[in-house]
Amino acid sequence: MATKTIYSAEYRSVVDELRRVREASGQNQAQLARRMGWSQQRLSAVETGARRLDVMEFFHLADVLGLSPEHALRIILQARRR
């Protein structure tokens, strides 16, 4: 039986990179979550792996972080190559 993607190293790599971008921008979870219209707990659950991002949430998060759709896709493609 296949492992759920939320538990894959590829998915973890994508989420870790989004967290790295957030931290590099100087935003804490509460600040970014507020900008997204989310609770801090929801963003924390994503970053810790307790909640999976769907594709639209992923692109919304990337956009709020200032990443282009192309950059967001590169994050995924790089994770798949590891």
Side-chain angles (χ1 to χ4, degrees):
M1 181 175 211
T3 303
K4 291 186 177 188
T5 56
I6 194 169
Y7 302 119
S8 73
E10 293 166 334
Y11 180 80
R12 184 75 252 154
S13 177
V14 168
V15 171
D16 287 347
E17 179 61 14
L18 292 173
R19 181 177 49 227
R20 188 198 66 71
V21 170
R22 174 184 61 76
E23 290 171 346
S25 75
Q27 296 179 81
N28 63 35
Q29 285 181 344
Q31 291 166 325
L32 179 59
R34 189 171 27 261
R35 291 184 60 214
M36 294 190 65
W38 289 6
S39 68
Q40 180 272 327
Q41 292 82 1
R42 182 176 177 182
L43 182 57
S44 176
V46 168
E47 289 189 356
T48 61
R51 182 182 184 284
R52 183 176 65 172
L53 286 170
D54 71 27
V55 68
M56 298 309 291
E57 291 171 330
F58 169 76
F59 281 106
H60 179 61
L61 177 56
D63 182 55
V64 172
L65 285 168
L67 303 176
S68 68
E70 295 80 13
H71 189 158
L73 279 175
R74 279 195 303 274
I75 290 171
I76 292 172
L77 293 173
Q78 288 172 351
R80 299 225 9 137
R81 291 184 190 123
R82 293 181 185 165

